[in-house]
Amino acid sequence: MRRKIVAGNWKMNGSKDLVQQLVGQVREQVASLDVRAEVVIIPPALYVDSVVALCGSELVTGVQNVSQWQSGAYTGEVSSDMAKDLGCQYALVGHSERRQLFGESDDVVARKIEQVLASGLTAVLCVGETLEEREAGSAERVVANQVRQGLASVAGEQWSNIVVAYEPVWAIGTGKTATAEDAQAMHADIRRVLAEMGAPSETISVLYGGSVKADNAAALFAEPDIDGGLIGGASLKAEDFVSICRAFPVGA
């Protein structure tokens, strides 16, 4: 059975007070409620150490970005080894904002995937199309190319440390979301591409990352190829985030 995962990406939001209040509330509620998913908190890098200290056994921690280099004279970069050293278990790679705002290419994404796997972390490869690409009818091709190029060097047992997150760029921070059926169709296509690459496609978790909220999570998570969510704004409010974590259907 594939892992069910709900990961909260705080993006560039947070403070010491937020860490203390939010992580504690989420941990307490996850521990006391019937949550059938692995719950991941992904704060800005400066707060990773504080979040790790508060997660207990109920939550795990990830990092939003890592360098394509292992170490050296790269001022401002954070290596996957450093994230591992602090207690992270996951690392986002290729988030749409990294691609669009910071010019990360598929080649850079692939090198970051290699670093994450070498450190023993689980890489969450983010893929997704823009509105223009979707309207042009090229969404499936764009996403397939991102999967193939980002994971080109992954082989053998490394696949067990790969998660894919589909985030339609046009649905991030806009309040828009793909229908559950549209999301399911792209998730199934991603799984097809993984199978063509020789990956164990039926055991790799594929998450949806396009404006997941408490009121649409259940419909999304009920689809057969959607294994959870990469959550943005809703992860900054404990009640909303926990409601999403509880949205998996009985038996999932």
Side-chain angles (χ1 to χ4, degrees):
M1 182 177 292
R2 296 191 296 268
R3 281 182 293 175
K4 304 297 183 182
I5 301 168
V6 177
N9 175 20
W10 291 7
K11 305 190 180 186
M12 200 176 73
N13 296 292
S15 64
K16 291 190 293 185
D17 287 344
L18 182 71
V19 169
Q20 291 293 325
Q21 296 170 13
L22 181 58
V23 178
Q25 290 178 41
V26 172
R27 184 189 64 197
E28 181 179 351
Q29 293 183 55
V30 166
S32 63
L33 300 171
D34 183 20
V35 172
R36 293 180 289 276
E38 185 172 33
V39 180
V40 187
I41 305 293
I42 309 178
L46 285 173
Y47 299 117
V48 163
D49 204 18
S50 298
V51 171
V52 169
L54 292 171
C55 277
S57 60
E58 293 82 17
L59 310 174
V60 297
T61 310
V63 66
Q64 295 177 12
N65 181 44
V66 295
S67 175
Q68 64 263 47
W69 298 289
Q70 184 178 37
S71 63
Y74 304 107
T75 299
E77 292 289 277
V78 173
S79 75
S80 55
D81 283 346
M82 293 173 183
K84 175 75 170 181
D85 189 41
L86 283 181
C88 289
Q89 296 183 35
Y90 288 87
L92 298 183
V93 182
H95 190 280
S96 61
E97 291 157 5
R98 299 298 311 175
R99 295 178 189 262
Q100 289 192 311
L101 301 178
F102 301 97
E104 288 190 6
S105 64
D106 286 321
D107 179 63
V108 168
V109 169
R111 283 186 281 158
K112 290 186 175 189
I113 291 283
E114 292 174 1
Q115 290 294 328
V116 171
L117 295 177
S119 298
L121 300 176
T122 293
V124 182
L125 172 66
C126 301
V127 298
E129 81 281 6
T130 64
L131 181 60
E132 292 75 17
E133 289 165 339
R134 172 163 281 268
E135 290 180 340
S138 58
E140 290 78 8
R141 177 180 56 81
V142 168
V143 171
N145 285 340
Q146 290 174 348
V147 172
R148 291 190 184 101
Q149 294 181 49
L151 301 177
S153 65
V154 181
E157 294 299 318
Q158 291 180 322
W159 287 111
S160 63
N161 284 331
I162 292 294
V163 171
V164 178
Y166 168 57
E167 42 165 23
V169 178
W170 49 270
I172 299 174
T174 64
K176 298 179 180 179
T177 184
T179 66
E181 294 77 14
D182 286 341
Q184 162 59 25
M186 186 65 83
H187 279 236
D189 199 59
I190 289 170
R191 216 174 290 286
R192 176 188 61 77
V193 173
L194 290 169
E196 291 174 354
M197 295 175 66
S201 60
E202 292 304 317
T203 64
I204 293 174
S205 297
V206 184
L207 314 180
Y208 178 71
S211 293
V212 180
K213 296 180 172 57
D215 60 2
N216 65 17
L220 289 163
F221 296 169
E223 296 293 339
D225 286 300
I226 299 180
D227 302 310
L230 178 60
I231 317 302
S235 69
L236 295 170
K237 296 181 180 179
E239 182 178 354
D240 292 346
F241 188 52
V242 172
S243 293
I244 293 170
C245 293
R246 297 185 66 198
F248 289 96
V250 175

